[in-house]
Amino acid sequence: MDPAWSEIHGMYGTSMRENREIPPSPRLLITGWAAQGTQGGTPEMHERGKSDRFVVPANPPNKATAAEVGEERERAKGNTDGKTHPGPSAGTDASSALGRVREVARRDKDARFTALLHHVTASRLRRAYWAISPKAAPGVDWVTWDDYGRNLEANLLDLHGRVQSGRYRAKPSRRAYIPKPDGRMRPLGIASLEDKIVQRAVVEVLNAVYEVDFRGFSYGFRPGRGPHDALDALAVGIERKRVNWVLDADIRNFFGQIDHSWLRRFVEHRIADKRIWRLIGKWLAAGVIEDGQWSACEEGSPQGASASPLLANVYLHYVFDLWADHWRRHHADGDVIIVRFADDCVPRTRLEVAM
């Protein structure tokens, strides 16, 4: 089994969402009922103090065709996500609560969410467990999917209690390598099974916020999007737009060089729940074990961990996507089409400029 496949396969299962702009300096805090995504209360997101209404997620939009070129689709007004598909015993309200969080995030781009951890429920942890491949490579504790499942409900209830009380501790990642197309080896960080479960559950919660912020030209590791969607957008952009320059960019060792302090700043633009950041901090600080030796990770996010793709997209959203979108809208004189898949980017333009 390819360790990379076993770590990230099936990570996301929700439908593709429209993408909207987020202001660079959010100011308002979403607290109380609105922060929790529950009905009622008086949220602080509006100066007029209107109560947050119960929001039922609308039907998901049809999958984008190649001709829409991703980010060039007209953004649908009032669009919300379809319900996520609950796994075994996920509970009937698993998607509706996040749907309300998503609606608040969509309506208020200055909103910062102060209470999200309670959405990491035992039901969501259970669904995360069932989403993991039974053949996934084990972490440093060598606990397999089958081992954990023999006493699943008791294990999940114990894990949920530790997460909610702050007693949860992340384990170091187990270092493994897979070959790259150029003959070099790509390092992976294989998390323990419990870390995979918690990371998947937290990613599902954070996706409710970030999927309404991410730009349409971002395709990597997002719900309902994949490499073929990026290739379709690339092909249509070249065939139907007036472009004569194509730049293929790849950030060298991106996952290994993510700056933790900047990542925290970027996350805090939207997430004011310090408990969520503590979880992220635990994963980043857990380090790796290779040949029996532990080493700290002062920068980077383990490639292969369930949370790393979302954290990478958050990082690149602020350091690249917002800048690139602003530049093409306010400074470029011609067509500029961008396709980004994780840290691989292909800007295309008809201007004869160096980028």
Side-chain angles (χ1 to χ4, degrees):
M1 176 63 62
D2 184 343
W5 184 93
S6 66
E7 293 299 305
I8 65 177
H9 178 71
M11 184 183 306
Y12 303 117
T14 52
S15 60
M16 181 170 64
R17 302 161 173 111
E18 295 294 335
N19 301 275
R20 298 170 183 274
E21 186 157 336
I22 178 174
S25 300
R27 290 180 289 277
L28 303 182
L29 292 179
I30 298 300
T31 59
W33 293 104
Q36 299 175 14
T38 51
Q39 184 178 2
T42 305
E44 299 178 6
M45 64 179 178
H46 299 302
E47 294 180 0
R48 296 185 298 275
K50 293 183 178 179
S51 297
D52 187 23
R53 297 189 301 274
F54 183 88
V55 178
V56 179
N59 291 329
N62 292 330
K63 185 175 181 180
T65 62
E68 291 174 321
V69 200
E71 79 278 11
E72 293 204 317
R73 296 201 314 275
E74 180 180 358
R75 295 179 174 90
K77 295 182 179 180
N79 179 61
T80 56
D81 282 319
K83 296 181 178 180
T84 49
H85 301 289
S89 304
T92 57
D93 63 342
S95 61
S96 60
L98 283 188
R100 292 188 288 271
V101 170
R102 188 178 301 117
E103 177 66 9
V104 173
R106 185 193 63 79
R107 291 201 313 259
D108 192 341
K109 299 306 178 181
D110 288 342
R112 298 180 66 219
F113 293 82
T114 63
L116 289 177
L117 186 64
H118 78 284
H119 287 292
V120 182
T121 62
S123 296
R124 186 154 278 116
L125 294 173
R126 184 182 302 110
R127 179 166 56 191
Y129 168 82
W130 287 108
I132 297 173
S133 169
K135 297 181 181 180
V140 293
D141 56 4
W142 294 101
V143 174
T144 66
W145 190 88
D146 289 330
D147 294 336
Y148 201 81
R150 291 191 180 96
N151 197 15
L152 180 61
E153 292 306 313
N155 287 334
L156 291 178
L157 288 177
D158 176 69
L159 176 60
H160 178 256
R162 283 182 280 129
V163 169
Q164 295 296 327
S165 65
R167 294 181 291 111
Y168 162 79
R169 296 291 182 268
K171 294 180 176 64
S173 298
R174 181 170 64 86
R175 178 68 77 208
Y177 294 89
I178 60 173
K180 299 176 66 173
D182 60 5
R184 295 181 297 169
M185 302 299 290
R186 182 189 304 277
L188 296 179
I190 302 178
S192 69
L193 186 70
E194 282 199 337
D195 290 338
K196 294 175 186 177
I197 293 172
V198 178
Q199 288 185 29
R200 284 173 178 268
V202 171
V203 165
E204 184 180 1
V205 173
L206 294 182
N207 269 339
V209 176
Y210 284 113
E211 276 299 306
V212 300
D213 291 343
F214 288 158
R215 291 297 184 264
F217 55 75
S218 171
Y219 289 89
F221 307 112
R222 293 183 58 189
R225 297 190 172 201
H228 291 291
D229 300 303
L231 291 174
D232 287 345
L234 180 63
V236 172
I238 293 176
E239 293 173 358
R240 302 188 182 183
K241 295 295 181 179
R242 294 176 297 172
V243 297
N244 55 13
W245 283 83
V246 178
L247 174 64
D248 182 9
D250 181 11
I251 302 176
R252 180 182 302 169
N253 191 25
F254 169 70
F255 281 91
Q257 300 186 89
I258 294 177
D259 187 285
H260 291 177
S261 62
W262 277 108
L263 176 60
R264 176 166 185 164
R265 296 185 193 182
F266 297 148
V267 171
E268 289 177 345
H269 269 285
R270 273 300 221 177
I271 310 302
D273 190 336
K274 294 183 179 179
R275 299 172 300 170
I276 293 292
W277 173 251
R278 289 194 197 99
L279 283 176
I280 296 175
K282 289 177 180 180
W283 297 328
L284 296 177
V288 297
I289 290 183
E290 183 175 4
D291 297 329
Q293 299 294 320
W294 177 86
S295 58
C297 294
E298 298 181 356
E299 61 180 7
S301 182
Q303 190 169 0
S306 300
S308 291
L310 174 63
L311 297 178
N313 276 332
V314 171
Y315 198 95
L316 289 171
H317 173 73
Y318 287 101
V319 302
F320 177 79
D321 293 357
L322 293 181
W323 166 80
D325 195 29
H326 181 272
W327 183 86
R328 70 174 180 176
R329 292 178 185 274
H330 299 281
H331 300 285
D333 295 325
D335 293 334
V336 178
I337 308 300
I338 304 170
V339 175
R340 180 174 70 78
F341 194 94
D343 58 321
D344 294 291
C345 179
V346 184
R348 293 150 290 157
T349 178
R350 73 178 181 87
L351 299 176
E352 295 186 4
V353 297
M355 298 182 62

